[in-house]
Amino acid sequence: MQNWRLDDGRQTLVLAANRERLPEVVYWGAPLPKEDDAAVLSAASKLDVTGGMLDENPDLSICPEAVRTFPGQPGLILRAHDGTPLLPKFCFTGETLEEHALVLDYSDEANGLRYRAEIALDPETHIFTLTSEISADAPIHLHWLSAPVLPAPQHSEEMIDVTGRWCGEFHLNRTAWSPGIRYRENRTGRTGHEHFPALIVPGCGASNTQGEAWGFHYGWSGGHRMVAEELPDGRRQIQFGHAARMETAPSTKFRSAPLYAVYSSDGLNGIAVSFQRHLRDRIVTWPKPEAARPVHYNCWEAVYFDHKLDVLKDIAARASDLGAERFVLDDGWFGQRDDDTSSLSDWEVDTRKYPEGLHPLIDHVHSLGMTFGIWFEPEMINHNSDVFRAHPDWAAGSEDQLLGRQQMALDMSRTDVRDFIYDRMAAILREYPIDYIKWDHNRVLPMPDAAQTRGSYALIDRLRADFPDVEIESCASGGGRIDFGILSRTQRVWLSDSNDALERLRMQHNASLFLPAAITGSHVGPRVCHTSGRTLDIRFRAWVAAQRHMGFEMDPRELSEEEAAVLREVTSWWKHNREWMLDADILRLDSSDPAVIAEQQEARDGHRFVVFAGKAATSAQIAPRPIRLTRLDPNARYKVTLINRNSASTLSRGSPALKDGPVEVSGQYLMSHGITLPWSFPESMWVVEGERL
Ligand code: DGJ
């Protein structure tokens, strides 16, 4: 019996293997005392055998093998080059164990195969990174390779995964556990609005702030497959890998993307904080880590394709006056791009719109003290483009394929295609002082193909290497490409094309299970939202944007003086607080009123926090229910201030103390009773600052 154990003070993971076989995770949960011997744990957790079944329970190993009578989904499905199915059966060949990392090697001599599992634990963020690799003596076809398989707890009634659509990203989906499989497979070739690659398994009774939970995220942008399976004996397994059959060519080596996993004993927030910190502090590579995140202005919803230099200059001046620090020129500046039917791939400045190139606009933007960013959609091509006319074979997929937004994807697996796009983009980046790219990807692929994703990664990596100061935003019709794979190459995500603050409030809340504020773009949209038709007050729009990486996207010429004043004030508050807020943990609060979506952003050192309580609907009861805070020091005293109490409506006639000024109470009171806010209209936000005294 072999066994291995990884600990970080917050969780223990124990692996045990029967003789030379692949190991099983026999324990993953709250930290165990050192005296708990792995061999004893393995023996103690062994399941009994009864009638009508095999004489032993097949291993639920880190790569369950079909050939060992495993009754569920195997961790690996392969074929030899000639198409013959291979049934691997691995035996131990070696290990490397460090305090927080483990590499295990296995081989199958008969089939000429080797399997390697790498498991690393970050002792600060508490995130496990698990990767599997298969190599072969001769080229093989890969159908399915799971990252190392983890068990799911049996004291859980449901699982939570994430779905969505254009303008409606990050819906949480709850599915009850039952015998069989919850299977999600994204065959779009792109991370997608529909399939954020993650799973949370809450223990029975877990909420945002309490209970146990297990979190998983697969860091890959080409579409994933998730299997959450309950076996007939009751055991549960979680598999994550690339979508099946997306390796189109035989090879002697295949590797999974990293699976990130974490256990929490303090609710979904424990998962969220680990993912937020790991993403911000370990995954994202910041060109200038010390620089403040600038307030953005993006011109898309102001002008769309109608680029006029004098109008853009006027808009830039107004945006700067409101507090913007980076001006992003969106779609429409290149080729003959007057609408979305043409010019993708023709990455040269449209001299009809910009006769002297982009310099006059950029000089103006710089003179206002803002930096300049620009939109590209590098992996795409239109039929109506010079590049397609010259290279019709560069498009991926068949000639009669369905188009998406009138466009096709380029075949990014081809080096000549990547080189061409690189040269065009590099020429723009060399000619102009640009510090930001909004990198869009507006259609799904004609079919899933891992080589396409690797090609996209290679292009981004090359540009990052040659233009290390340029930041990149991952956008795909809003939140269609958000995952730790793309975020190891980019610094911001465009969470959604919906600038509707009401919809954003919920989306941001759910996305914070994985994404920190520093990378989550959020813009103040037009008064009448272009994608929902909803009219929202500037206060609500501004505060919702101020919850994340703030920006503006409306036409500033539509703002009344009062609206501009509100926006200036909230932006200045955001700038004043961004340094600590963008490093803070976002904690989702357990709101006792379903109409209220509330979060607490808490500084790393616990000395200050801000609570955003967004009223998404009219409450069923008359008075606001107190909002209980979390993770405070029960014995410390806190000064809490309702900073926008001047926005109370005249229908708020009573006198909750926060309406009159700061209140000083204990952390225990704030966590046990909560803060009592004034009555408010739906589609409004209360903002409460807290300071530890
Ligand atoms: C889709 C993006 O999500 C929008 O923000 C905008 O950049 C358009 N594409 C431009 O075509």
Side-chain angles (χ1 to χ4, degrees):
M1 175 69 80
Q2 292 174 293
N3 48 64
W4 301 270
R5 174 175 171 155
L6 295 168
D7 286 277
D8 66 357
R10 159 143 153 206
Q11 60 197 329
T12 298
L13 181 101
V14 180
L15 288 142
N18 209 330
R19 297 185 292 277
E20 301 293 286
R21 306 208 298 244
L22 286 164
E24 299 181 280
V25 172
V26 295
Y27 180 86
W28 178 30
L32 295 175
K34 285 273 171 269
E35 305 78 63
D36 267 335
D37 180 69
V40 175
L41 296 181
S42 165
S45 62
K46 226 175 179 42
L47 296 178
D48 200 358
V49 173
T50 180
M53 61 177 287
L54 296 165
D55 299 336
E56 201 184 315
N57 287 289
D59 299 339
L60 199 176
S61 80
I62 55 172
C63 182
E65 295 151 294
V67 80
R68 296 199 196 264
T69 24
F70 183 68
Q73 295 296 303
L76 180 64
I77 304 177
L78 302 169
R79 283 177 189 272
H81 200 188
D82 67 358
T84 313
L86 293 172
L87 290 171
K89 187 171 165 190
F90 290 108
C91 285
F92 179 77
T93 54
E95 64 173 329
T96 316
L97 177 63
E98 291 165 18
E99 190 185 355
H100 292 117
L102 173 64
V103 178
L104 294 173
D105 285 305
Y106 293 81
S107 79
D108 171 349
E109 296 301 333
N111 286 307
L113 298 172
R114 285 163 300 286
Y115 173 84
R116 166 173 281 194
E118 294 171 22
I119 305 177
L121 174 56
D122 188 310
E124 282 167 32
T125 65
H126 308 292
I127 294 283
F128 278 105
T129 304
L130 304 105
T131 316
S132 60
E133 187 178 277
I134 184 86
S135 49
D137 294 342
I140 50 170
H141 290 282
L142 182 72
H143 177 106
W144 166 242
L145 171 63
S146 174
V149 175
L150 290 166
Q154 300 201 30
H155 51 283
S156 162
E157 283 164 356
E158 59 179 8
M159 50 192 133
I160 304 172
D161 54 27
V162 187
T163 183
R165 57 170 165 79
W166 178 69
C167 284
E169 291 83 345
F170 283 92
H171 278 279
L172 300 184
N173 224 3
R174 289 176 184 259
T175 313
W177 281 102
S178 63
I181 302 175
R182 164 105 178 126
Y183 180 103
R184 289 196 68 176
E185 182 155 12
N186 169 6
R187 303 204 60 80
T188 68
R190 176 181 80 166
T191 324
H193 305 81
E194 312 83 3
H195 298 290
F196 180 71
L199 177 72
I200 292 178
V201 181
C204 294
S207 71
N208 288 319
T209 60
Q210 59 187 9
E212 290 185 293
W214 287 257
F216 306 82
H217 167 70
Y218 190 64
W220 170 244
S221 317
H224 78 291
R225 178 199 204 212
M226 177 197 89
V227 172
E229 181 174 31
E230 180 169 303
L231 302 176
D233 57 46
R235 287 179 298 173
R236 293 164 173 175
Q237 65 158 335
I238 306 295
Q239 299 189 0
F240 270 94
H242 293 15
R245 301 180 306 282
M246 73 182 298
E247 294 292 355
T248 53
S251 174
T252 54
K253 193 177 269 183
F254 297 101
R255 209 175 148 75
S256 76
L259 170 65
Y260 301 93
V262 61
Y263 162 78
S264 156
S265 57
D266 57 354
L268 270 53
N269 283 336
I271 304 277
V273 168
S274 280
F275 279 133
Q276 290 168 23
R277 290 186 181 185
H278 198 76
L279 185 52
R280 185 188 52 219
D281 303 341
R282 301 286 193 270
I283 301 286
V284 173
T285 48
W286 302 97
K288 294 179 187 145
E290 304 310 325
R293 310 295 300 136
V295 176
H296 279 208
Y297 177 79
N298 181 295
C299 67
W300 178 239
E301 294 201 351
V303 300
Y304 294 103
F305 298 101
D306 187 14
H307 289 207
K308 293 196 179 76
L309 185 58
D310 53 342
V311 171
L312 287 168
K313 280 181 160 178
D314 179 23
I315 286 176
R318 289 167 190 260
S320 157
D321 173 58
L322 293 166
E325 299 160 307
R326 177 182 272 154
F327 180 94
V328 181
L329 184 67
D330 211 284
D331 197 353
W333 58 268
F334 54 93
Q336 306 250 320
R337 182 84 166 164
D338 296 333
D339 56 32
D340 62 13
T341 61
S342 85
S343 302
L344 291 174
S345 280
D346 292 346
W347 301 115
E348 283 166 337
V349 176
D350 182 348
T351 48
R352 298 170 311 156
K353 295 177 185 170
Y354 299 97
E356 296 166 61
L358 295 175
H359 285 298
L361 179 60
I362 297 181
D363 290 347
H364 176 72
V365 164
H366 283 175
S367 74
L368 295 163
M370 292 190 285
T371 64
F372 187 83
I374 197 163
W375 182 94
F376 282 100
E377 196 178 359
E379 294 130 311
M380 297 292 157
I381 189 162
N382 286 114
H383 279 118
N384 185 6
S385 67
D386 293 342
V387 174
F388 185 77
R389 281 182 280 274
H391 303 281
D393 58 318
W394 281 8
S398 61
E399 264 177 46
D400 63 348
Q401 67 177 280
L402 297 178
L403 300 181
R405 207 193 190 199
Q406 288 87 233
Q407 67 199 49
M408 294 166 293
L410 284 166
D411 183 348
M412 296 301 291
S413 67
R414 288 176 60 155
T415 42
D416 55 347
V417 172
R418 292 203 300 268
D419 287 349
F420 178 87
I421 297 295
Y422 170 87
D423 288 344
R424 285 282 170 98
M425 293 178 76
I428 297 286
L429 295 177
R430 276 195 198 102
E431 179 169 1
Y432 298 107
I434 289 172
D435 81 336
Y436 188 80
I437 292 175
K438 177 176 177 182
W439 187 302
D440 214 337
H441 188 298
N442 282 304
R443 61 155 292 166
V444 298
L445 297 185
M447 69 251 154
D449 181 355
Q452 179 79 10
T453 309
R454 286 192 287 266
S456 295
Y457 284 171
L459 176 62
I460 304 176
D461 291 346
R462 185 169 171 204
L463 284 160
R464 286 287 316 278
D466 293 350
F467 301 93
D469 290 339
V470 177
E471 282 188 16
I472 301 177
E473 173 177 69
S474 176
C475 170
S477 302
R481 185 155 61 176
I482 301 178
D483 61 81
F484 284 22
I486 202 74
L487 277 161
S488 63
R489 305 170 160 87
T490 55
Q491 291 78 21
R492 192 184 201 242
V493 295
W494 185 225
L495 192 64
S496 178
D497 271 355
S498 170
N499 283 317
D500 177 318
L502 185 60
E503 294 172 353
R504 279 280 178 149
L505 179 70
R506 179 201 51 75
M507 260 183 241
Q508 290 177 177
H509 189 66
N510 291 343
S512 71
L513 286 168
F514 308 95
L515 309 179
I519 68 123
T520 311
S522 191
H523 295 175
V524 180
R527 190 181 303 131
V528 181
C529 175
H530 291 187
T531 56
S532 68
R534 202 175 267 130
T535 304
L536 292 166
D537 183 74
I538 188 67
R539 287 165 195 79
F540 187 52
R541 284 184 277 148
W543 282 119
V544 170
Q547 288 184 287
R548 299 293 184 266
H549 182 189
M550 190 174 191
F552 319 138
E553 191 158 338
M554 88 303 280
D555 185 338
R557 295 173 299 178
E558 78 165 31
L559 295 171
S560 68
E561 267 179 37
E562 196 227 341
E563 286 173 325
V566 170
L567 191 48
R568 246 180 246 119
E569 196 183 325
V570 175
T571 307
S572 134
W573 177 89
W574 188 82
K575 286 181 178 172
H576 192 68
N577 287 283
R578 65 181 151 192
E579 193 180 330
W580 74 268
M581 263 176 53
L582 294 183
D583 197 38
D585 298 323
I586 305 172
L587 305 166
R588 291 157 41 104
L589 296 173
D590 289 329
S591 171
S592 354
D593 181 348
V596 175
I597 296 177
E599 69 180 34
Q600 174 183 336
Q601 298 194 11
E602 189 172 39
R604 288 283 195 110
D605 63 9
H607 274 74
R608 60 195 304 178
F609 62 80
V610 57
V611 173
F612 292 98
K615 191 133 182 217
T618 309
S619 299
Q621 78 290 347
I622 296 174
R625 296 192 199 276
I627 297 175
R628 298 195 337 158
L629 307 192
T630 189
R631 288 202 186 198
L632 301 178
D633 178 347
N635 299 315
R637 300 204 58 76
Y638 292 85
K639 178 169 131 187
V640 288
T641 312
L642 179 61
I643 62 163
N644 59 341
R645 57 181 185 276
N646 294 340
S647 331
S649 90
T650 49
L651 283 181
S652 156
R653 300 188 297 136
S655 49
L658 279 174
K659 232 172 115 179
D660 293 330
V663 174
E664 285 181 23
V665 281
S666 67
Q668 188 65 65
Y669 174 83
L670 291 171
M671 293 191 289
S672 298
H673 180 87
I675 46 176
T676 306
L677 292 163
W679 188 94
S680 61
F681 285 134
E683 295 161 8
S684 66
M685 175 90 88
W686 286 129
V687 184
V688 180
E689 283 183 0
E691 187 193 342
R692 186 181 161 145
L693 298 173

